[in-house]
Amino acid sequence: MSSDYVTHLECAYTGEVFEKGKVHTLSSAGKPLLVKYDLSRMRDEVSRDSIAGSSEAGFWRYSPLLPVSDAANRISLGEVVTPIVSLERSVEHLGISAGKVLVKDESRLPTASFKARGLCLAVSMAKEFGLEHLAIPTNGNAGSALAAYAARAGMRTTVLCPDNTPEINTSETLAQGGDTYLVNGLIGDCGKIIGEGKDELGWFAVSTLKEPYRIEGKKTMGLELAEQLGWELPDVIFYPTGGGTGLIGMWKAFHELLELGWIDCALPRMVAVQSTGCAPMVKAWQEGVEHAEFWEGAETEASGIRVPAAIGDFLILRAVRESEGFAIAVSDEELMDARDRIGREDGLLLCPEGAATFAAWEQALEQGLVSKDDRVVLFNTATGLKYPMPEVTERIDKDAPFDASLFL
Ligand SMILES: *Cc1c(COP(=O)(O)O)cnc(C)c1O
């Protein structure tokens, strides 16, 4: 099936219109472009029941709402609809009933993070446009997802990571064919180098929101969530926010679903969760401004949200405000403690970014920003297995007499 509902692209800031079917980066105002669809025609031609009955794997079931015009250009590594897992034992002590706190577990996707959604679409569109060499600045998961999908598509990739990126991310990127480099700086420094090389080396940058299609991939989190909840939405969504693609993408998805008439419920409050070591959106939200200032000295174990400046800052803040949500920061200590508790009590090993959403929810509950009756969805954006884990220190000597007291 080919989906050809894209009408044009639009600058998210000025509304300037761009033609579809061409390679685009930012608008002339230097702001992100959003893909627009003919939703009134889609409304007549595609029903949500036909989506529900689709035999297509993973998010490709939403292909009418995706920009790839020729199915032959889809690059797939076996995307799945990620499960929603309800937290039970870890929320019981707060008097929360089962089914109220849900985790959308994105760790089940190829390359074990939700970056697969965005990079799958970016690479598929790069194939559609005949691009051959892609480059990315990354804190880890975006680089490995790009390398994997581009390898599959037979494209070359250059991946630049800050030199404190978790080693597992840089290694997996290399193992999946990415030309991988460590840079003695932050993600913005990596992006600058990529910008400098684009004319001489001819690579195309797939940096967050600097090309229009990663957001379309991340949008599928919102589409999936709606379908999985029976075309209803939760009261609140807690999202670990770095560049914000996922939050902006879901907010876009919800509006498209409303316009299609596939949902008619109230939209969720969108909560941007950051780390106290890097919280530019929280500061901007508190100050009531439209753009966030660069966050100096960004530092957190949750490397996916160690993003001191986001080009889509105004879109993140707009979604948070329009939805009557909020932005909130938690410390590394709080998020690591949350990770350990949820692992022990509910058997889910969250990534630090995902655990941050739980710590933020607990804090918001305490502050009265959300209530016990709110149905909330937390995003676990990657597998916990990619991050440092507790060390086992207890040892047993096989030659010593059995000693039951060791196991008490
Ligand atoms: C990239 C990343 C994030 C932040 O995602 P954005 O949509 O760019 O805000 C959160 N968690 C993990 C694990 C990531 O890799």
Side-chain angles (χ1 to χ4, degrees), residues 119 122-124 126-127 131-136 146 149-150 153 155-159 194 202-206:
L119 275 312
V123 172
S124 297
K127 182 163 184 224
L131 301 174
E132 288 169 354
H133 185 175
L134 305 178
I136 197 168
L146 173 66
Y149 280 97
M155 289 174 204
R156 184 172 169 202
T157 49
T158 301
V159 179
I194 284 177
W203 59 43
F204 180 79
V206 289

Side-chain angles (χ1 to χ4, degrees), residues 274-275 278-285 292-295 307-310 317:
Q274 297 202 301
S275 151
C278 181
M281 295 308 140
V282 178
K283 183 163 180 279
W285 180 74
E293 270 170 56
F294 185 88
W295 188 274
V307 180
L317 293 162

Side-chain angles (χ1 to χ4, degrees), residues 6 15 83 85 93 117 136-137 140 227 293 300 312 314 324 345 351-353 380 383-384 388:
V6 176
V85 184
H93 69 285
R117 294 183 189 269
I136 197 168
E227 187 183 354
E293 270 170 56
T300 167
F314 64 104
E324 291 168 21
E345 293 166 11
C351 62
E353 297 84 349
N380 183 47
T383 177

Side-chain angles (χ1 to χ4, degrees), residues 113-115 139-142 208 214 218 221 239-248 302-305 307 316 351-354 379-383 387:
S113 91
F114 75 153
K115 288 292 195 301
N139 280 326
N141 288 318
T208 300
R214 280 175 65 179
K218 286 273 190 88
M221 290 190 290
Y239 183 80
T241 306
T245 337
L247 192 147
I248 300 165
S303 45
I305 56 174
V307 180
I316 299 170
C351 62
E353 297 84 349
F379 272 85
N380 183 47
T381 43
T383 177
Y387 300 80

